[in-house]
Amino acid sequence: MRRVSDRAEAFTDSVIRRMTRISDEYGAINLSQGFPDFDPPREILDALEKVVYAGPHQYSITFGAKNLRDALARKHEKTVGRQVDPETEVLVTCGSTEAMICAMMSICNPGDKVMVFSPFYENYGADAILAGAEPIYIPLVPPDYGFDIRLVEQGFREGAKAIIICNPSNPCGKVFLQEELEAIGALAVAYDAFVVTDEVYEYLVYPPYTHTCMASLPGMYEHTITCNSLSKTYSITGWRLGYLIGPAEIVEAAKKIHDFLTVGAAAPLQEAAVTALQLPDSYYEELRALYTRKREYMLTGLDRIGLKHNIPQGTYFVLVDIREFLELPQFAGYTDLEFCEWMIREIGVAAVPGSSFFHEEVNHLIRLHFARSEDTLREALKRLEKLAALIR
Ligand code: GLN
């Protein structure tokens, strides 16, 4: 019978990416899918220009160009304080998106349980289905999005093979404290389970919070698959460059999966990206300072116009509470998705409905991002003021 697979029918398209398409259709300011509207660092663009004529233009080594793997290994060595073998422990992927699905497919058998914090980045739901895993959701509780470690222990007791940690966390902006990671790590070791981390926002962390890499904690390297990307750190989301680093026997499995899924990431872009990894420490400080200013501008703006929101500890996302709007007669019966669609059409600003991130029934939050120039954020806030006027 000509019918698509149950697997393909088990999840929808990404609501995040769908909101970008709708936003483009209406010419709205897109604060839905998170990506910058400003240029990558000049050094990277210069490197890319050189690559155009000097190459490479053919396949790189499937597992990633050697010079890029070397650079990534050196970076990770500094973070984890131990040697990282670029030949056996590093895999270059097409974005952290591919790193995550490779990690999941490398460790999960059909029916295996995997813990996922809720709210979660929507890819993890599809990743679990594609890997045949069953998610166990651990709620992150507002306002600080803390969690009950006893639920994590219960998950491991029920046989969870792994736990996924997005740190800093999309969409709620939680930065996991070292103590929290140590507690989860101790359980993962005790139950001989894996930790899969997605650390793409590692540099977007706001004082007083600091980022701790799970694999850097004592005894955790052997249990952790670190997934990361160059997208956010170097403002090159369209280059689709990510990586996975972990113990050799797991990376060995991930390499095979990656090979047959994609063969490899774009060779010219890998070559240019080596330059990104050579940027001085001051680059990362400036990046943090840049986003700290954007966050301040956005949060102060939302306060001024009277929209309620969370305080993100990291990432470039903010969750806005739309409960008061949904109580207005004109929005009676609206889902958060319908509200976001209305917002694109009538307000000219695109957001992501919160329900796409929560396992629980949540209909009262929308996610905005602030990876935009100050002019764009000013215009977006001006438009959102029209929205806020409805509840004044
Ligand atoms: N991480 C970004 C977001 O959540 C974009 C991810 C993506 O679309 N690959 O909006």
Side-chain angles (χ1 to χ4, degrees):
M1 248 246 280
R2 292 200 310 136
R3 207 180 141 247
V4 300
S5 70
D6 295 343
R7 195 191 296 116
E9 283 193 335
F11 54 92
T12 69
D13 63 324
S14 150
V15 179
I16 297 176
R17 267 86 76 187
R18 195 194 310 164
M19 295 321 286
T20 283
R21 295 194 293 274
I22 305 177
S23 178
D24 288 352
E25 206 179 302
Y26 287 90
I29 297 179
N30 187 3
L31 304 187
S32 62
Q33 184 182 18
F35 58 89
D37 67 349
F38 40 90
D39 285 336
R42 183 63 203 240
E43 293 88 329
I44 304 180
L45 298 180
D46 289 345
L48 183 60
E49 190 177 33
K50 283 202 196 99
V51 168
V52 169
Y53 292 103
H57 291 294
Q58 310 309 326
Y59 303 123
S60 69
I61 301 275
T62 296
F63 313 123
K66 175 154 172 52
N67 52 357
L68 182 56
R69 274 183 291 118
D70 286 348
L72 291 169
R74 280 195 300 275
K75 170 199 183 269
H76 203 55
E77 276 175 353
K78 274 209 253 169
T79 309
V80 297
R82 57 166 277 160
Q83 276 198 325
V84 174
D85 182 355
E87 298 307 321
T88 60
E89 298 180 316
V90 180
L91 171 65
V92 176
T93 56
C94 299
S96 187
T97 295
E98 192 208 339
M100 287 295 296
I101 185 72
C102 272
M104 293 283 284
M105 291 180 103
S106 303
I107 59 175
C108 292
N109 287 314
D112 278 348
K113 293 180 178 138
V114 170
M115 280 186 273
V116 179
F117 288 102
S118 172
F120 56 94
Y121 174 46
E122 60 174 3
N123 278 38
Y124 308 154
D127 289 345
I129 291 166
L130 288 170
E134 274 174 34
I136 299 177
Y137 294 98
I138 309 290
L140 292 174
V141 185
D144 288 335
Y145 292 94
F147 63 94
D148 185 345
I149 190 73
R150 287 169 306 185
L151 295 179
V152 176
E153 169 139 43
Q154 191 182 317
F156 281 127
R157 248 198 330 263
E158 286 170 16
K161 192 157 187 190
I163 182 164
I164 297 177
I165 305 178
C166 183
N167 181 31
S169 199
N170 178 4
C172 65
K174 175 183 174 61
V175 175
F176 282 79
L177 299 172
Q178 181 164 332
E179 302 87 270
E180 291 174 323
L181 294 175
E182 282 167 351
I184 298 169
L187 290 169
V189 171
Y191 286 88
D192 199 21
F194 294 108
V195 180
V196 179
T197 66
D198 183 353
E199 307 189 32
V200 303
Y201 304 101
E202 65 180 320
Y203 295 107
L204 307 190
V205 174
Y206 309 106
Y209 296 91
T210 53
H211 176 253
T212 305
C213 174
M214 181 57 119
S216 74
L217 297 176
M220 286 315 296
Y221 188 85
E222 295 306 325
H223 284 263
T224 306
I225 308 172
T226 305
C227 299
N228 208 331
S229 142
L230 277 59
S231 293
K232 276 69 180 182
T233 304
Y234 306 109
S235 307
I236 48 172
T237 60
W239 289 28
R240 311 307 305 124
L241 286 180
Y243 56 97
L244 174 160
I245 303 186
E249 65 277 14
I250 302 165
V251 175
E252 198 55 41
K255 278 174 160 180
K256 287 191 288 181
I257 290 165
H258 159 80
D259 191 2
F260 287 105
L261 278 180
T262 66
V263 177
L269 301 181
Q270 292 190 56
E271 181 64 32
V274 174
T275 301
L277 282 137
Q278 289 160 349
L279 288 170
D281 289 348
S282 57
Y283 171 74
Y284 304 94
E285 285 150 30
E286 282 159 25
L287 183 78
R288 195 190 315 267
L290 176 78
Y291 275 103
T292 303
R293 288 196 298 276
K294 290 188 186 305
R295 170 182 177 266
E296 182 64 22
Y297 190 83
M298 187 70 172
L299 301 187
T300 320
L302 291 173
D303 289 339
R304 191 184 62 243
I305 64 181
L307 290 179
K308 295 201 181 87
H309 60 84
N310 73 326
I311 311 275
Q313 301 164 355
T315 75
Y316 46 47
F317 301 113
V318 55
L319 291 171
V320 171
D321 193 322
I322 55 163
R323 217 177 317 224
E324 286 174 84
F325 294 97
L326 297 180
E327 283 162 6
L328 297 174
Q330 70 254 51
F331 298 118
Y334 266 52
T335 62
D336 56 353
L337 174 62
E338 287 162 341
F339 185 82
C340 286
E341 287 168 345
W342 173 88
M343 241 179 79
I344 290 176
R345 288 193 312 268
E346 304 297 328
I347 302 293
V349 176
V352 183
S355 56
S356 39
F357 303 102
F358 282 85
H359 170 62
E360 302 80 15
E361 278 293 317
V362 168
N363 190 41
H364 69 280
L365 296 172
I366 59 172
R367 191 196 76 176
L368 299 173
H369 80 84
F370 48 84
R372 287 287 179 261
S373 70
E374 208 168 295
D375 284 347
T376 309
L377 292 178
R378 182 178 308 111
E379 176 59 25
L381 285 164
K382 204 168 111 197
R383 295 182 186 189
L384 288 171
E385 203 163 356
K386 275 195 288 175
L387 173 72
L390 296 177
I391 51 167
R392 267 198 222 115

